[in-house]
Amino acid sequence: MIAQTPPMGWNSWDCYGAAVTEETVRKNAEYMARYLKPFGWEYVVVDIQWARPNARDHSYEPFTELAMDGFGRLIPAVNRFPSAADGAGFRPLADYVHSLGLKFGIHIMRGLPRAAAHAHLPVADSGCFCHLAADPGSVCAWNPDMYGLRCDTPDAKAYYDSIFRLYASWGVDFVKCDDIAREYPRCRREIELISEACRNCGRDIVLSLSPGPAPLEQAEHLKANANMWRITDDFWDDWRLLKGMFERAEKWCIHAGPGHWPDADMLPVGALRQCEDPDSRTRFTHAEQRTMMTLWCMMRSPLMIGAEMTKNDDFTLSLLTSRDVLEILRSGWCAHPLRTLPEESVWISPRQDGQGVYIALFNLGDRKRAVSLAAAEAGLPFFRGRELWSGKALRKTGVLRAALSPHDAAVWLIK
């Protein structure tokens, strides 16, 4: 089974929107291989609009030209991804990422290109056609490039099978499918077709569904058909969004497990929005970034870095290479909050190997605050261990206390 632990990697959206280029992907992959791979980071994901030749920023251009083959399958725009020339697709870029010991991923929209339907293009390796698969009444509200599919037709199944065979031939290891996770019940069958095509393509590919919020009542369907799914709309560097994630995390944490992970979205750290301003950096404070990383690891969300990694400062690199904190992601289980109040939250996660318990204290308020937890509340006789961000040892005590700055967090491994 793939995705036995939450996937960890980098995605180009937060820093380059629709306009990432091959040169940028290669440089970020090289950075990950050099500095982050030893800590478990491995996926390099090209986000939306890689088939669009004229993409320049985070915006979309309705009805724009997209690069496409004769079977209605989008292919990389060669002016942005030169190694894709002569029909090579993403294979050369994927090969390069693999040569660094990493894995390669791409973004797709559900459905097929409008232009493929209008041109009545055939579906590869089948007697089917794009216009018979397309549902012109199913169009994304924020990016109208595609038609959703008539999922009761053999043409729809043939089309999804054809694109995943193509991705497998390129060496793709991760597919983020957009405009689908929150589209129940309309897209329930479409999710199943995508999942079946992904699982039957002949290559292990992690399937991620976006954007959220995915409906909580569909948790079992999502777990059966995807490896990760978004529990929120796009998450950015805004404290209100981070504070609101505690409620979402509490509802979804019970559904995290090997092969299926509720996804709190990308980590907007470091250098963001590079198309708009090369000097732009996250608006999160250092304290807020510690809170975000602590919560994501405690709830066992996938971790996808949003930064232009070659511009990481010392703090950002230290945040992403805190081995003990990242270990929570792999070793914790059954995470849940012991309490969440307007001004504070306390989470607990036992280790799977029985060698201790992780406990996190969060200050959700706007002023410095002392947050505490009695051992009895955690079902323990006492606390003794180490705080993971600072490395400071904790002597035997009956009450865990932390004086936390606004929006800050601390997390211990209690032995």
Side-chain angles (χ1 to χ4, degrees), residues 178-329:
D178 216 336
D179 188 38
I180 200 162
R182 67 185 177 203
E183 299 300 322
Y184 283 88
R186 177 177 65 173
C187 289
R188 183 183 178 90
R189 180 56 184 152
E190 198 152 3
I191 288 172
E192 293 169 355
L193 285 184
I194 292 167
S195 179
E196 291 165 9
C198 184
R199 300 296 169 247
N200 295 328
C201 71
R203 184 177 180 84
D204 286 342
I205 296 178
V206 170
L207 180 60
S208 170
L209 305 182
S210 287
L216 185 61
E217 63 272 18
Q218 298 295 337
E220 296 306 317
H221 188 258
L222 288 159
K223 288 157 70 173
N225 289 283
N227 300 113
M228 48 190 279
W229 58 90
R230 286 266 296 280
I231 64 172
T232 179
D233 203 342
D234 283 6
F235 177 79
W236 281 98
D237 45 346
D238 181 331
W239 169 248
R240 293 171 299 175
L241 298 178
L242 178 50
K243 186 174 182 179
M245 194 65 72
F246 281 82
E247 180 180 357
R248 297 184 188 279
E250 179 173 355
K251 293 176 178 177
W252 279 103
C253 62
I254 62 171
H255 297 290
H260 49 81
W261 307 103
D263 178 13
D265 201 14
M266 293 168 57
L267 301 169
V269 298
L272 309 177
R273 306 175 181 89
Q274 295 298 286
C275 293
E276 290 84 354
D277 178 5
D279 295 323
S280 174
R281 300 194 70 83
T282 183
R283 292 188 286 256
F284 277 146
T285 65
H286 287 185
E288 290 165 350
Q289 292 176 73
R290 274 190 296 272
T291 286
M292 175 176 60
M293 284 293 292
T294 304
L295 179 61
W296 267 233
C297 288
M298 288 293 286
M299 70 169 285
R300 306 185 76 194
S301 169
L303 301 181
M304 285 288 166
I305 300 164
E308 166 50 75
M309 293 189 291
T310 65
K311 295 184 179 181
N312 279 353
D313 57 16
D314 290 343
F315 174 80
T316 305
L317 182 58
S318 70
L319 189 79
L320 301 174
T321 56
S322 177
R323 193 179 300 276
D324 290 336
V325 175
L326 292 171
E327 184 59 28
I328 302 171
L329 201 71

Side-chain angles (χ1 to χ4, degrees), residues 239 243 288 342-343 363-369 405-407:
W239 169 248
K243 186 174 182 179
E288 290 165 350
E343 302 297 313
N363 177 7
L364 306 184
D366 298 332
R367 298 180 180 179
K368 187 173 182 178
R369 182 179 183 84
S405 300
H407 308 170

Side-chain angles (χ1 to χ4, degrees), residues 105-120:
I106 60 173
H107 169 289
I108 65 170
M109 297 290 292
R110 69 176 177 91
L112 56 79
R114 285 171 173 260
H118 296 167
H120 290 203

